Amino acid sequence: MVKLFEDVLNLYSDNLNQLSEERRNRCQKLKHFVNSENKLNEANIKDLVDDSKSTDPKRIELSNTIYSVYKGVDSDGTLLFESDSQTRSGIVHKQRIFYEGFFNLLDKVDENEEITEGDVINILTGDVYIDCNCESHLYWGFAYKAFKNDYGLRKETREPKKNNVSLNGSACKHALSVLELINQSNTLYEEIAKDLNVLFQKYKKRSKLELR
């Protein structure tokens, strides 16, 4: 999935004005992991939090004690966060959040429009894709469940055999802490909008140079 996003960005840099339909076709490929029998077929932030509240409430309680912070935007538009380990002093884990609305933002850039705080709210109330580099996310089945249900950024096909074999909850406590931060912060949307505008201006400059 991550490779697909990179392919789209490479296409985007080739020609700003002729790729809307091709981007739409690429976006549809994101759907091929969806299984209609699963409880979560893709998911927005509310879906993920609600799933954990109902099937893994203890982890929700733990997530409320974790300090998470927004760290910026990666070169492919992924939102970057860091969270305290909670169990190991001085250790932080990294979370990544991507969003299907990214392709709508590309359309705005094509029209020379700025991304607004409202745009960020819109994309983060739509379907998202998550990842965390902590051991729990990988070994307690959350990466597997996320990949299986098309809301993961990491390919993980190994079903847990020992820990959380029932696949309760949607994410590790660090990722849940980030999702709650997104829901509750009064300033985060504006900060993300600024960072995305800077990123997309870099795309446009690169595209203009390559078209010369």
Side-chain angles (χ1 to χ4, degrees):
M1 186 178 297
V2 175
K3 180 62 167 61
L4 174 59
F5 295 146
E6 293 172 351
D7 290 344
V8 170
L9 291 180
N10 288 334
L11 282 169
Y12 179 78
S13 69
D14 292 338
N15 191 324
L16 280 169
N17 299 316
Q18 299 179 6
L19 293 173
S20 293
E21 186 60 32
E22 186 154 12
R23 286 203 303 270
R24 289 288 179 272
N25 293 336
R26 291 290 186 103
C27 185
Q28 290 304 312
K29 292 182 181 179
L30 294 174
K31 311 295 185 182
H32 79 284
F33 294 125
V34 176
N35 181 342
S36 61
E37 295 181 359
N38 292 329
K39 180 179 179 181
L40 292 172
N41 289 330
E42 306 177 304
N44 58 38
I45 290 175
K46 184 178 184 302
D47 294 332
L48 298 176
V49 173
D50 286 350
D51 181 51
S52 285
K53 284 181 177 178
S54 63
T55 63
D56 196 13
K58 180 63 176 178
R59 204 170 304 274
I60 286 284
E61 292 179 14
L62 292 173
S63 73
N64 292 332
T65 67
I66 292 176
Y67 175 73
S68 298
V69 61
Y70 169 66
K71 300 298 289 186
V73 177
D74 205 352
S75 60
D76 63 355
T78 303
L79 307 182
L80 305 176
F81 297 82
E82 287 185 358
S83 302
D84 292 339
S85 169
Q86 190 184 61
T87 57
R88 290 180 291 173
S89 177
I91 300 297
V92 297
H93 296 296
K94 300 179 185 296
Q95 297 75 46
R96 299 181 297 143
I97 307 289
F98 199 77
Y99 38 91
E100 191 168 276
F102 174 79
F103 300 92
N104 296 328
L105 298 184
L106 286 182
D107 288 338
K108 291 203 69 172
V109 177
D110 286 349
E111 299 298 325
N112 294 314
E113 297 180 20
E114 283 201 346
I115 296 163
T116 67
E117 185 176 348
D119 293 325
V120 175
I121 293 173
N122 286 337
I123 63 174
L124 291 179
T125 53
D127 290 337
V128 296
Y129 307 91
I130 68 173
D131 186 53
C132 179
N133 69 348
C134 76
E135 295 86 350
S136 178
H137 187 72
L138 180 60
Y139 297 115
W140 285 70
F142 300 117
Y144 169 77
K145 183 175 180 177
F147 179 75
K148 180 182 178 183
N149 293 284
D150 196 29
Y151 64 89
L153 281 174
R154 177 201 305 243
K155 181 177 181 179
E156 181 53 69
T157 59
R158 295 170 295 178
E159 188 172 358
K161 303 298 184 183
K162 180 180 178 181
N163 300 316
N164 193 24
V165 293
S166 298
L167 298 178
N168 293 324
S170 61
C172 68
K173 60 189 177 184
H174 310 102
L176 290 170
S177 174
V178 167
L179 297 181
E180 290 289 8
L181 173 66
I182 292 173
N183 276 338
Q184 298 173 8
S185 176
N186 294 323
T187 60
L188 184 58
Y189 299 132
E190 181 180 1
E191 190 173 355
I192 291 173
K194 290 179 179 178
D195 289 343
L196 286 172
N197 278 313
V198 171
L199 175 66
F200 285 129
Q201 287 305 311
K202 291 180 180 178
Y203 289 167
K204 294 187 74 171
K205 288 179 181 178
R206 185 176 68 181
S207 177
K208 289 177 181 178
L209 288 173
E210 292 177 353
L211 289 173
R212 287 180 181 176

